[in-house]
Amino acid sequence: LKALKAAAGNEPITWVVMTAGYSESDMASFQKIARDLGVGFQAISSADEFTNYLNAKSIGSAELSEARRNDPITSISVFGHGYAGSAEFAHNQPGQGRFSWGTGNVKQLDAGAFKNATVDFYTCNSATDPEKGKSLGYVFSQQTGAVVTGYRGKSTYAKMNVGEGIGAKWDRLWEGFNPNGSVRLPQAGEGAIRIKFLPPVMNGNQ
């Protein structure tokens, strides 16, 4: 969030957090950090609500809204688990299926909600083609006109905090996470590669 805020200038940033697996006190902690960092906060309770928020800047409707037209999405970073064809925001949590955000959800996105957007998936398999159909990253790019990057294969979060100081370790023990952020972003797992998808207007194929 700090890196995104530093790069965004005056553009507003919203931290979207899926509620699966988190207590009310967890969510309150996240909201406090968002306030301290000067970014917005949005709790999401299903894959459909995530689609709605992207289209409408509200979880209650899937229709492109005037609010979103006035504040189009220019950048998204997505963290979590993933399968070929879906991002899994409640992996091994109760109600996992409700939070599974797949290519069907992506096809409900309105291109008008995005403006010269870049989307970075740090989930596993976001660039892996499922048995039938195209990868999540490919479909997202084609649907919205965004430049999308993702992993063909698994991503790994194992090295995100290698080298952190004792203060960060204490914060993680006390808070359950490090409110100051991790040392680095997730990386490609063994044998995985990072793929970039260009939208039709850029790759000239359509």
Side-chain angles (χ1 to χ4, degrees), residues 103-137:
T103 54
N105 300 99
V106 171
K107 290 177 181 178
Q108 297 175 29
L109 295 176
D110 194 308
F114 300 82
K115 182 180 179 181
N116 299 324
T118 57
V119 179
D120 294 302
F121 280 95
Y122 294 98
T123 57
C124 292
N125 295 306
S126 52
T128 303
D129 292 343
E131 185 176 348
K132 295 180 180 179
K134 298 294 184 178
S135 70
L136 187 69

Side-chain angles (χ1 to χ4, degrees), residues 1-31:
L1 283 170
K2 290 179 179 178
L4 289 171
K5 187 174 173 61
N10 294 325
E11 187 168 2
I13 293 174
T14 300
W15 185 16
V16 174
V17 177
M18 302 295 173
T19 58
Y22 293 124
S23 66
E24 290 185 7
S25 62
D26 291 333
M27 298 301 288
S29 294
F30 298 155
Q31 287 179 294

Side-chain angles (χ1 to χ4, degrees), residues 46-57:
S46 70
D48 288 339
E49 285 189 0
F50 186 45
T51 303
N52 292 353
Y53 183 75
L54 295 180
N55 278 342
K57 208 176 177 182

Side-chain angles (χ1 to χ4, degrees), residues 25 28 56 65 67 110 139 142-143 149 178 206:
S25 62
S65 69
D110 194 308
V139 175
Q142 299 297 296
Q143 180 72 18
T149 57
N178 181 1
Q206 297 182 21

Side-chain angles (χ1 to χ4, degrees), residues 12-82:
I13 293 174
T14 300
W15 185 16
V16 174
V17 177
M18 302 295 173
T19 58
Y22 293 124
S23 66
E24 290 185 7
S25 62
D26 291 333
M27 298 301 288
S29 294
F30 298 155
Q31 287 179 294
K32 180 182 183 302
I33 289 173
R35 288 194 301 270
D36 291 345
L37 291 177
V39 302
F41 183 86
Q42 179 65 57
I44 299 289
S45 296
S46 70
D48 288 339
E49 285 189 0
F50 186 45
T51 303
N52 292 353
Y53 183 75
L54 295 180
N55 278 342
K57 208 176 177 182
S58 167
I59 62 175
S61 171
E63 300 297 322
L64 180 64
S65 69
E66 192 64 23
R68 179 56 76 202
R69 289 182 188 274
N70 293 332
D71 183 22
I73 296 167
T74 58
S75 176
I76 304 176
S77 296
V78 181
F79 301 88
H81 290 274

